[in-house]
Structure formats: C-alpha cells, structure tokens
Amino acid sequence: MTTTTFASASSADGLWTGLRAMDGAPLALAVEAGQVQWMGLPGTEPARFAQVVRHDGGGALVTPGLVDCHTHLVYGGHRAHEFALRLAGASYEEIARAGGGIVSTVRATREAGEDVLFASASARLSQLLAEGVCAVEVKSGYGLALEHERKQLRVARRLAQAHGVAVRTTFLGAHALPPEYAGRSGEYIDLVCREMLPALHAEGLVDAVDVFCERIAFSLEETERVFQAARALGLPIKLHAEQLSDMGGAQLAARYGALSCDHVEHLSQAGIDAMRAAGTVAVLLPGAYYTLRDTHLPPIAALRAAGVPMAVATDHNPGTSPALSLLLMANMACTLFGLTVPEALAGITAHAARALGLQDTHGTLAVGRPADFVLWNVREASELAYWFGQRPVRCVVRQGRIAEGAP
C-alpha cells in the first residue's frame, strides 16, 4: 500500500463500482464535489454518472471512515519506564503520586517546541490514518499552563490541515494538577475557568471541554466549575469518568448534556440511567484497561440493556494506552469486554462520531455526506474485528480525496 501527501492526493469524484456493503450485498456509489451523491445497486446509477471517471473496487468491502473519538496524540517524550514499574508491581496511582504519570509528560511537553510536537504527533496520526481513520479527537492536557495548552491545540489544528482529516480539539486543562499548584487545586481550577479556557476559545482552538474527574485528579465540585465555564462559552463537554472509582461523574456530566463519558469501568446504574436520558455516549477504552491490567470490567450488559451507545477509541497516550490501531481496539472490545462484532464496528464509526458531535457528517456512509470511506481487502465485516497485527486496508477516501492506497 502506498501513501501520498494529502495535498497531492487525487480526487475521489466518479463512480465507484465493485464494492460490497457491510452485509455483503453488491454496492456502487457516486462521488461528486467531495460528497457521496448516490448509492445503490451496480448498474442502476442515474444517467448523469454514465460518463464520469470509474473506480473499480475489485470486490472490496466498503465501510464508513473510522473515527477515533478519544486520543491524546500531542505530547512530548514517552513513559516506557513506567511500563516496567507497573510490571514490577507499582499501581497507576502510586506512579502518579511519585511524580510520574501525567505530570512527567507535562514536563516533556513543556520542554518541546511546537514544531517538535507537530512532527511526533504527525507520525503517530499517520499510523491511524493508514488504517482507515477519517476523523479523530485530539485532547490537550499535557501543558497545564496557558502557553503550553495553546501549543498543543495549535498543533492539533495544524494536523488537521496537513493531513486533510477532521480533527476535533478538546481542552483538557483539568487533566492533572501542575507541580506549581501542588496543594492548591481550587486556585488551579480558577485559572482554567477564568483565564485558560476563555483565551483558548477566543483563539478558535477549542471544540469541546473535558475533565479528569477522579481521586487522583479533580473532584466533582471542581469538575462542575469547569462545566459551568464551558457552558457559559457555549462549548460541549466530555468527561473522563469512573475509571478508577465511582465518583458520580457520569451523572454530573449527563446533567450538562455531555457528548460522552469515557472509560466508565466503575459506572453505576444511576450513571447509566442518567447517560441514557441525556443521550450521552459511553466511550470504551480497552487499551488503557489492558495496559493497566485492570480487572474491573465496564458494565457492558447494563449499557446494552439501557440502549446507551457504546463507542470504542484508542485513548492513545504515552502512559496508559500507547496504542495506534483502532482495529486492535475493536478486537479488544470484543475479546476483553464482550462486545459483539456489530457493536464494535458501530463503536469505531457511528457511535464514535456521535461522541464527537460529528454524527451529521461522519461515521455513516450515506448520500449527502462527505466522501469519507474505506475499502477493505476482506470478505466479511467480522474480519475487521477478527484480525490483528495486519492492516487489510485497500484504499482510504478522506475528505473527498484518495488519501491512502488505490482502488
């Protein structure tokens, strides 16, 4: 498979034939001006598409472009040494309290210039895109000071332009307490709400706001203060919720109409009920569960019974989920969490798009939507969650251009 720069990628406009839908049925589609303008049985296309360029999919399975709805792609350094510490018996909380964890990445991120951060994040993003990702969320939260949070978010905007991909930026200034505010979490939240968020929003760098609500991070009261600041600016909210304990964060987030609650291993029935009522997506992050060797499973059966949409994401970050394969996460969601294959595939497409507020443009292959789709060298859709260690991508059409491979 070949990869080209997006700026030089060829247009996907034309009639795409030789495709198979998710159910295996023959399918053709027409792209015009970067949008899907028609879909149907081969040979039944409208006359106006008779003379357009034809792209032969060769029998490939076609799906919507994948959506990675929870990542921390922009950061400095790595934390491979913490992997060894965990193997020796140290817990996530012990490492964090000893000055490791998020704070160690903050140091490395503050020391790195914007161009250095862009180069490393670009390389990571390229791996996701080569596997069929057409939309991605990028969180800040490794700067924890205005100039460094701005630096991360600026890099995220640059990634979108350079790679021709939809990038949703999430301000996660309330990710951890920076060392200079040790013992003064209330003052730091004041800084987040009164200075950092308004300034970054005014610069057009923020699409949503997130908080790490947990014993080792921020309390419910501090979390709500951030939500109130986001609401005042008209920004949607998300939440790192119930990862290590049941803090009741999901119920709080649901009261503010959260797009998603993420991790949710310790989510209660009350939290599930609140999320269902609010239409909040549960984002499952099996990479972090696996890396931390967690044993407390998210309440999949209860979420399923309640009809809460379940998305699946990489949670790519240097400490607890150094994963760059969304297909592997789909496999893990099935094998570790018990999702069905259709649930896992919806989790990396339609439900993931909803978790980013992109349900009107991404995650579903439909007429009138941007041409973001993937051709796969597989016979059955279940193979996308079955194989791991290989990339069965034949071609990726992203933002109306043939961005990866060729039909």
Side-chain angles (χ1 to χ4, degrees):
M1 177 176 170
T2 59
T3 301
T4 187
T5 61
F6 189 78
S8 62
S10 59
S11 170
D13 282 8
L15 185 66
W16 290 72
T17 61
L19 306 177
R20 289 177 299 108
M22 296 280 279
D23 61 1
L27 179 68
L29 60 86
V31 175
E32 188 176 63
Q35 283 193 330
V36 177
Q37 297 292 355
W38 174 83
M39 293 174 57
L41 289 173
T44 67
E45 63 273 8
R48 69 189 182 96
F49 297 116
Q51 302 301 319
V52 300
V53 173
R54 289 180 175 252
H55 306 278
D56 183 5
L61 183 80
V62 63
T63 71
L66 307 187
V67 179
D68 194 350
C69 64
H70 182 131
T71 85
H72 305 254
L73 275 176
V74 180
Y75 58 84
H78 64 80
R79 304 214 307 261
H81 62 288
E82 291 182 14
F83 177 69
L85 289 175
R86 282 195 298 272
L87 292 177
S91 72
Y92 179 68
E93 294 183 60
E94 288 169 343
I95 291 171
R97 291 195 173 108
I102 294 168
V103 174
S104 66
T105 298
V106 170
R107 289 193 295 269
T109 302
R110 288 179 173 183
E111 292 169 1
E114 185 176 313
D115 289 343
V116 170
L117 291 176
F118 175 80
S120 61
S122 183
R124 291 188 281 266
L125 178 60
S126 292
Q127 294 191 54
L128 292 173
L129 300 183
E131 198 179 64
V133 169
C134 290
V136 62
E137 185 223 32
V138 177
K139 300 181 189 290
S140 65
Y142 289 131
L144 307 187
L146 178 56
E147 64 178 303
H148 300 297
E149 290 288 299
R150 176 186 289 119
K151 182 171 61 177
Q152 282 192 275
L153 294 168
R154 282 173 53 87
V155 168
R157 291 288 193 234
R158 287 177 60 184
L159 291 171
Q161 183 173 8
H163 290 271
V165 61
V167 173
R168 298 293 284 179
T169 57
T170 298
F171 172 64
L172 183 56
H175 194 194
L177 193 62
E180 61 270 24
Y181 277 86
R184 297 184 293 141
S185 62
E187 291 180 40
Y188 179 66
I189 292 297
D190 283 343
L191 178 71
V192 166
C193 295
R194 297 177 184 176
E195 297 184 31
M196 293 167 67
L197 178 54
L200 296 171
H201 173 61
E203 294 169 26
L205 294 174
V206 181
D207 296 323
V209 177
D210 194 356
V211 179
F212 187 17
C213 180
E214 193 51 78
R215 295 172 303 197
I216 60 172
F218 296 99
S219 68
L220 281 173
E221 184 273 333
E222 290 164 338
T223 298
E224 185 164 20
R225 287 168 60 193
V226 177
F227 287 175
Q228 289 170 344
R231 173 180 279 180
L233 294 171
L235 290 168
I237 62 105
K238 302 166 71 69
L239 186 67
H240 280 60
E242 275 59 290
Q243 180 184 9
L244 306 174
S245 62
D246 180 11
M247 294 271 292
Q251 292 149 266
L252 172 63
R255 291 205 304 273
Y256 283 81
L259 290 173
S260 71
C261 290
D262 304 31
H263 288 290
V264 300
E265 283 87 346
H266 293 261
L267 181 64
S268 67
Q269 186 61 52
I272 292 171
D273 293 342
M275 290 172 64
R276 176 188 58 198
T280 299
V281 177
V283 177
L284 308 176
L285 304 173
Y289 178 92
Y290 169 82
T291 302
L292 293 173
R293 296 188 291 176
D294 202 347
T295 58
H296 199 291
L297 289 164
I300 301 300
L303 287 164
R304 183 184 292 133
V308 174
M310 293 180 284
V312 177
T314 62
D315 187 20
H316 177 82
N317 73 80
T320 62
S321 189
L324 287 168
S325 170
L326 193 54
L327 292 183
L328 177 58
M329 298 302 102
N331 175 279
M332 285 185 171
C334 294
T335 56
L336 297 178
F337 293 167
L339 263 62
T340 66
V341 169
E343 285 174 336
L345 297 182
I348 58 176
T349 54
H351 295 332
R354 182 173 173 180
L356 295 182
L358 293 177
Q359 63 270 23
D360 293 334
T361 55
H362 291 77
T364 303
L365 190 57
V367 172
R369 289 175 177 258
D372 289 289
F373 55 87
V374 187
L375 275 57
W376 305 92
N377 290 319
V378 298
R379 296 301 305 169
E380 302 175 17
S382 61
E383 293 184 66
L384 298 179
Y386 165 72
W387 297 108
F388 55 92
Q390 64 170 302
R391 281 178 168 158
V393 171
R394 180 186 182 113
C395 176
V396 179
V397 172
R398 194 170 64 244
Q399 294 190 349
R401 304 186 74 80
I402 301 173
E404 315 278 344

